[in-house]
Amino acid sequence: MTRTTIGLAAATLAAALALAPGAAAQPAQPVHSFYVLHQRTVSLTAQYWNPILTHVSRRSGVPLELKLAKTAQEGNVRAEGGEYAFQYTNHFFTPERDRLGWKVIARPAGPGIRSQIVVPVDSPIQSLKDLEGKDVGFVSRDGFTGYWLPFDALLRSNVNVNVVFTGNQEASSAQLRVDKIAAAGVNSTVMARYARRESFAYRALWTSEIYQDLCIMANPKLPADKVAAVKAALVGMASDPQGRQVLQAGADLLKMNGELGFVAADDREYDNYRKFYRTTKVR
């Protein structure tokens, strides 16, 4: 065959394929980033969230991809810049971030969370006053239950401590377990799950009022139909046999007890976060 004949044959074949019903490849849907504020190690966070996002992607028709950051500050900066489609966090109720317009769509099922200042069960420390001058672990300057709430309690008790930033909730728990710090400001739920996994006994010197758990938020620029589809898939997991299986596996991994899955939520449920930020002594 001459080059001209080959070229004509190729062009004819291409035209035929283009006209064939269903033959043309459909454009792939864009993948939507789903940022998770990791309270545990990156590995454990990925093991828990990847199966959930795979299930939600299938049920919603909205492809989701887990995104993690090295630090909470890095993740928050990216979220502030609009890099993520969805995020799982409780860092976006400060006055500055609240104005960005992220919308609460769902949260884990259950009664909510508390902050605690905890010590090993055999520690000689009996009160917040006993922490004067001691090393106390906090997650980062952005952590709500792991910094803002417990540090505010210390300030209100006129207790001065040496602040030690650990990076995440379970790192605080681990440093407490090996006596690198005298006490830790923690999310009570994460602390309890860590203690069950590691057989670590501790006690609380102080406990906050209850707040709603971290929530799933949608970028305000996302189309409403995609947000609704993801929300429905999340909320429907507990009643979906495959979804419930995924949730149970995650609960077993983290030694969670209580209700499984997610429930619908809205911004008003987080008003006590906003009130706290308006009145806190932390600066």
Side-chain angles (χ1 to χ4, degrees):
M1 296 178 69
T2 66
R3 290 183 180 179
T4 301
T5 305
I6 294 173
L8 288 171
T12 302
L13 176 61
L17 288 173
L19 293 172
Q26 296 298 315
Q29 279 211 60
V31 176
H32 294 74
S33 54
F34 192 111
Y35 168 64
V36 171
L37 171 66
H38 62 278
Q39 300 170 299
R40 303 168 178 87
T41 64
V42 169
S43 174
L44 200 57
T45 301
Q47 288 179 66
Y48 178 77
W49 276 98
N50 272 325
I52 291 174
L53 298 187
T54 297
H55 175 86
V56 172
S57 295
R58 289 173 180 160
R59 287 291 185 264
S60 67
V62 180
L64 300 173
E65 181 181 35
L66 177 65
K67 292 292 183 180
L68 299 171
K70 291 180 180 178
T71 65
Q73 292 93 332
E74 178 186 311
N76 288 338
V77 167
R78 290 181 176 178
E80 288 166 2
E83 288 190 30
Y84 306 126
F86 298 91
Q87 60 172 328
Y88 178 65
T89 186
N90 62 352
H91 289 184
F92 269 61
F93 300 107
T94 62
E96 298 80 11
R97 291 174 181 150
D98 205 25
R99 287 193 288 267
L100 296 175
W102 285 80
K103 299 299 182 185
V104 175
I105 62 171
R107 61 173 174 80
I113 57 176
R114 297 179 189 269
S115 172
Q116 290 183 326
I117 298 174
V118 299
V119 295
V121 70
D122 57 355
S123 169
I125 295 170
Q126 299 297 320
S127 70
L128 293 185
K129 294 291 185 184
D130 296 335
L131 291 175
E132 181 72 31
K134 299 288 197 303
D135 291 342
V136 177
F138 303 94
V139 294
S140 73
R141 292 190 185 278
D142 282 327
F144 186 67
T145 56
Y147 175 68
W148 282 88
L149 286 171
F151 196 54
D152 180 79
L154 290 167
L155 292 176
R156 292 181 185 277
S157 298
N158 295 312
V159 177
N160 297 303
V161 301
N162 298 323
V163 173
V164 177
F165 288 121
T166 63
N168 63 65
Q169 292 275 351
E170 290 209 351
S172 292
S173 304
Q175 290 196 27
L176 186 67
R177 184 166 64 90
V178 297
D179 296 321
K180 291 189 69 174
I181 51 179
V186 297
N187 175 316
S188 61
T189 304
V190 177
M191 182 72 219
R193 291 168 183 166
Y194 174 89
R196 282 196 292 271
R197 290 203 319 273
E198 301 295 333
S199 300
F200 174 56
Y202 68 96
R203 52 186 168 82
L205 302 177
W206 168 86
T207 301
S208 76
E209 67 174 272
I210 198 163
Y211 291 81
Q212 290 292 8
D213 207 339
L214 280 70
C215 57
I216 294 159
M217 307 183 85
N219 189 309
K221 294 182 179 179
L222 274 180
D225 59 336
K226 291 191 175 184
V227 174
V230 169
K231 178 178 180 177
L234 283 164
V235 173
M237 283 190 75
S239 57
D240 179 311
Q242 292 182 1
R244 194 166 184 84
Q245 186 175 12
V246 169
L247 293 171
Q248 187 60 61
D252 294 342
L253 174 70
L254 299 184
K255 304 299 181 188
M256 296 165 59
N257 51 23
E259 298 179 62
L260 292 176
F262 303 91
V263 297
D266 61 42
D267 290 287
R268 292 171 297 177
E269 296 181 47
Y270 291 81
D271 280 345
N272 60 346
Y273 280 78
R274 298 179 176 96
K275 179 181 177 181
F276 170 83
Y277 284 120
R278 290 195 302 267
T279 60
T280 181
K281 289 185 174 294
V282 181
R283 293 291 179 265

